[in-house]
Each structure stands twice: as structure tokens, then as C-alpha cells.
Amino acid sequence: MAPDGGDGGVGSGGSGAAVLDAPAAAAPSVPPAAAAGAAGASPAPAAPGNDSLLSKPPASAAAVPPADPAAAPAGAPAWLTKVPEKFHVKTADGKYDAEATLAKQAESYTHLEKHRGPQPPATASDYKFTAPEAFKDIKLDDALSAAFRERAHKAGYSQEQYQMAVEAHLEMMPGVLDAALKLAANECRAELQKVWQAPQEFEAGLADAQRAVNSAPEAIREDIWSRFGRDPAFIRFAASMGKEMREDKPGNPGQAATGAADQSGVEALMASEAYRNPKHPDHAGTTARVQAFWRRAYGDSPAS
């Protein structure tokens, strides 16, 4: 038989009824903000700057003023401020050694002066040239010398370098002039060979020119040689004069005795460097031979 339903007993009902009472429903969850709102409390505002992910940096220390560069180190004399620190020298007890400091600085500056070498004078006009014994009689051109002094000063020449440069110039000039004279002589020869193309004709032309020069007064012969000895136009003119002298001169008994061979030989001597160049070591002997020939051939009367 079915049990009688009552308080605390098993409840009656049809089939499918729960044997136990249903559990009480859980209270619905309330968000924290809503709960706070319901309680009437308002949220506190966030402090500004607190959203940084880094900690706030500490306050900087008070700035220390830089040391006065003009002030001397503690315990040092005042003059030490004028000496670079790399030259400072201290004694064993830590005091500044004035004498050693100045000596170290002086040694450094002396080394620097040696490295830099002698310096140019203040102005270009301060250069002085003392001529060596070999050039004591040479008078330098004032304008050219002034121009060179300006160039030397611009290039930074010292007095010693200026003296050396001028001396070297004077020593080289003879060689330069000799080279120029040789070049002029070669050019003159080339011009004359265009006119006197055969070797015999060339030698005869030079001999005729030499004859004309030799007829000039002795006081000016060397001057004519030095001025016009490399001038092809003058040599051709002198050759024409010398040829006329040779052809127009009356013969004498001595000329027939001389012979054609002697005539050819003396003309070769007159065309030689020993005869044409008064500075040649054989010039005196060669000239004497030529003059002896012409005295035998034409006598001692000067050309009219």
C-alpha cells in the first residue's frame, strides 16, 4: 500500500514525480560595477600619468658648475695656467716642479722648430744675397732680382734657401748659355748648308767669311765674332766680301810658290773651330799659321 503523504514524508503524485525536492535557484551574478552602483558608491578617478609602464625617474642631482679652465690646480702656482697640462711635472711629494715643467715645454717647442725648419723673413725685401767669390763681379738685374724675391717669399723660402737658389742659378747659367750657343751654332750651320750644299762649298764659304772678319780692325774682331758668329745672314755677307777680297787681290811671287794645295789647307784651317773660336786652346797657333800663309800669298798690306 502506498504510504500516506504528510509533512516531511514522501510526496504523492503520479509517476515521474521527483523523489527529492528541487534545489533552491542560485542568485543571479551581478557585475562588480553594478554591485557598487547598487550600493550607491562612485568609483575614484585614476591619477594622471599613472598609466605609464615605467617607473617615474628619480629627480636629477643639482648641476655642478664646470671648473674654471683658467684656474690653477690646487696647490699650483698661477703661471701654471699658461702651460698646457701635458707639460706639467710633479715632484715625488706631489708638488709642481716649475723648472722641470718649463724645461719639458721648451724641449717640445725646440723639437717643433726643428721639424718646421727655418721660416721666411717678414717681407720679400728682407732677402739678402751675398755673392760668392766666383761671382762677386756679377751685377744682378734689379728688376729680375726683385721679382724672384717675391716668388721666393710666396713659396716660403728661408734666407738660407734664397741664398742657395741664387747661387745655384749663377752656377748653372754658364752651362745653359753654352747649350744655347751650341744650339744657335747648329741652327746657323743648317741654314748655311741650305745655300752651300756641297761640303767643299760650305768650307769655302766659311773661309771667305773668316777672311772678311780678319780684315777688320783687330780691336773689334772678337766682338764681331761673338756677336755675328752664329748669324747665317752675316756669315753669307762676310763670305761675299771675303770672296771679292780673294779674287781682287793682285798676286805676287810668293802666291805662286804657295800652290793650290796650301790654299786648300789654309781654308780648312780657317773653317776649323780652333781658328774661329778665340777661346779655343789651339786658337793662337792656328791663327799664326793662317796669317803666315796670307802674308806669303798677299803680303802685309791691309785690305783697301
Side-chain angles (χ1 to χ4, degrees), residues 2 17 30 73 118 121-123 126 147 157 175 196 282:
V30 179
T123 64
D126 292 331
Y157 280 23
W196 302 325
D282 298 331

Side-chain angles (χ1 to χ4, degrees), residues 2-304:
D4 187 11
D7 292 340
V10 177
S12 62
S15 61
V19 176
L20 300 178
D21 293 334
S29 61
V30 179
S42 59
N50 286 346
D51 56 347
S52 173
L53 299 180
L54 301 177
S55 301
K56 186 175 181 179
S60 59
V64 178
D68 183 2
W79 58 261
L80 198 65
T81 60
K82 301 183 181 298
V83 180
E85 186 176 355
K86 63 181 180 179
F87 299 125
H88 293 181
V89 178
K90 292 183 180 181
T91 60
D93 56 359
K95 295 181 179 180
Y96 286 94
D97 188 329
E99 183 177 354
T101 296
L102 295 178
K104 185 176 181 181
Q105 183 184 36
E107 181 182 1
S108 175
Y109 288 171
T110 300
H111 177 75
L112 177 62
E113 284 295 321
K114 290 180 179 179
H115 180 72
R116 293 176 60 194
Q119 299 302 299
T123 64
S125 60
D126 292 331
Y127 286 117
K128 306 298 179 185
F129 175 67
T130 303
E133 184 67 22
F135 305 110
K136 64 179 181 178
D137 297 328
I138 294 180
K139 178 67 171 65
L140 300 179
D141 183 89
D142 292 337
L144 293 178
S145 297
F148 181 71
R149 285 195 295 269
E150 291 292 339
R151 292 178 60 186
H153 194 262
K154 186 176 181 180
Y157 280 23
S158 66
Q159 170 60 39
E160 293 79 6
Q161 291 171 326
Y162 172 80
Q163 174 77 21
M164 180 192 65
V166 178
E167 285 186 19
H169 174 77
L170 293 177
E171 291 171 357
M172 289 189 297
M173 281 308 299
V176 174
L177 292 177
D178 286 345
L181 293 177
K182 289 180 181 178
L183 177 61
N186 291 336
E187 293 175 347
C188 177
R189 180 183 295 273
E191 287 297 318
L192 291 175
Q193 287 176 337
K194 295 178 182 178
V195 179
W196 302 325
Q197 297 182 3
Q200 298 82 357
E201 185 182 13
F202 180 81
E203 296 297 335
L206 290 183
D208 287 337
Q210 192 71 58
R211 184 180 301 107
V213 173
N214 289 345
S215 69
E218 185 176 357
I220 64 172
R221 287 177 191 171
E222 185 169 346
D223 191 31
I224 292 175
W225 172 84
S226 61
R227 289 191 182 189
F228 306 110
R230 289 164 291 276
D231 187 335
F234 173 81
I235 292 177
R236 290 180 61 187
F237 168 75
S240 65
M241 296 293 294
K243 183 177 180 181
E244 290 181 5
M245 292 168 57
R246 173 167 51 85
E247 294 174 350
D248 294 345
K249 194 73 175 180
N252 57 36
Q255 182 176 4
T258 302
D262 288 343
Q263 173 81 20
S264 175
V266 79
E267 288 181 351
L269 287 176
M270 294 173 64
S272 67
E273 178 72 13
Y275 182 75
R276 298 199 309 271
N277 185 357
K279 298 180 181 180
H280 195 282
D282 298 331
H283 176 72
T286 305
T287 302
R289 293 171 59 189
V290 172
Q291 290 176 347
F293 170 83
W294 291 119
R295 280 196 299 269
R296 292 195 307 270
Y298 298 107
D300 295 328
S301 300
S304 55

